[in-house]
Amino acid sequence: MTEQPPPPTPSAHALAVVMRDYLSYGESGMADLKEAVHSRSRKPVIGAFCQELRQILAGEVAVPTGVINREFRRRAEEDAALGQGDGDDPMHYDDQQAYEALADLWEYLDLTPEGEPHDAHSVLKATVKKSRSQLLWIDGDPVQALRTWMSWRSLALFVAGVVVCTVSWAVRERVDVTFLRSLLLLLTIAGFAMAGIGGGALWLRRVRYVNPDAFLPTEDKPKETRR
């Protein structure tokens, strides 16, 4: 039986592309990379790079130190050919330095633990999803939670409104006297309004219990500049 070859190691192709097209250009390249990462229509290679970076920092794949050092050498040779280099040896990282540099890059790009851009859209989406789940169920004692946010006056108003609205409408459909029908119609409308106010008050108390900052005005923040 022949010996099977070892599984191929990740080529870190996306990291090499990102280093060549963005990171080699210093601060301006870093800013361009962050903009590309947080773009609504990300390039596939940028998405692959984010996932690759997540796998490296999570220890799922080896740190591609060789890829990083090769890009340093390539950039130094290119600068020397253009007469822009200072003649010093190219930068060289060991595994620890490469890992720390990638960790700093992760923090700079502001990525989520899943390797997705941690922008305002994703934050809003996560908040809505969390609030939606909390509206259905809250961890802890449900009886104590109910006692905390429940308003018995609002509940009584809601129940009374439903009863008045239902009974008034049912009686109105059975009488033929014009005066009584008009009076019962007014009672029906009043009952409907009572039920709406009571139910709305309960809903607002429930939402504020889940999120105390709900319905509060938000301050407009100035947009960050790229440079």
Side-chain angles (χ1 to χ4, degrees):
M1 183 173 60
T2 60
E3 184 179 356
Q4 296 292 332
T9 57
S11 62
H13 171 71
L15 176 60
V17 172
V18 166
M19 289 195 65
R20 183 190 69 235
D21 293 345
Y22 294 95
L23 300 180
S24 292
Y25 295 95
E27 293 183 1
S28 62
M30 293 275 287
D32 291 338
L33 175 60
K34 187 171 184 179
E35 183 178 352
V37 167
H38 290 267
S39 175
R40 288 185 177 273
S41 56
R42 290 195 304 175
K43 297 178 181 179
V45 68
I46 298 297
F49 160 74
C50 293
Q51 293 303 318
E52 196 171 278
L53 189 58
R54 180 194 64 79
Q55 293 174 350
I56 293 170
L57 296 179
E60 299 176 5
V61 298
V63 180
T65 310
V67 174
I68 297 174
N69 288 331
R70 280 197 298 272
E71 177 57 29
F72 287 155
R73 290 195 299 270
R74 187 200 67 80
R75 184 64 180 177
E77 293 171 356
E78 183 178 294
D79 289 343
L82 296 175
Q84 299 176 354
D86 52 10
D88 295 337
D89 293 334
M91 191 179 300
H92 183 85
Y93 280 170
D94 57 23
D95 289 345
Q96 181 63 29
Q97 292 172 327
Y99 183 88
E100 291 175 356
L102 293 176
D104 291 340
L105 178 61
W106 176 279
E107 184 176 356
Y108 171 79
L109 295 177
D110 196 17
L111 297 172
T112 66
E114 293 76 24
E116 297 299 326
H118 197 273
D119 55 8
H121 177 72
S122 62
V123 171
L124 178 61
K125 185 177 180 181
T127 302
V128 170
K129 184 177 180 181
K130 181 179 179 181
S131 300
R132 185 182 301 168
S133 63
Q134 286 182 324
L135 286 174
L136 299 176
W137 182 260
I138 298 179
D139 295 334
D141 185 0
V143 176
Q144 182 61 33
L146 180 64
R147 290 176 178 175
T148 302
W149 65 264
M150 174 59 71
S151 171
W152 299 110
R153 292 182 179 178
S154 298
L155 179 62
L157 183 63
F158 173 75
V159 173
V162 171
V163 172
V164 171
C165 180
T166 304
V167 173
S168 299
W169 183 260
V171 174
R172 180 180 181 275
E173 293 297 310
R174 295 178 179 274
V175 299
D176 297 328
V177 181
T178 304
F179 172 75
L180 288 178
R181 287 178 62 87
S182 300
L183 180 62
L184 290 171
L185 179 60
L186 290 176
L187 289 176
T188 301
I189 297 174
F192 182 81
M194 291 168 57
I197 294 173
L202 288 176
W203 178 78
L204 289 175
R205 290 177 62 88
R206 178 76 164 98
V207 173
R208 289 298 300 274
Y209 173 76
V210 174
N211 180 16
D213 296 331
F215 310 113
L216 294 179
T218 56
E219 298 181 356
D220 294 334
K221 298 181 179 179
K223 296 182 179 179
E224 297 181 357
T225 57
R226 288 183 52 192
R227 301 292 187 270

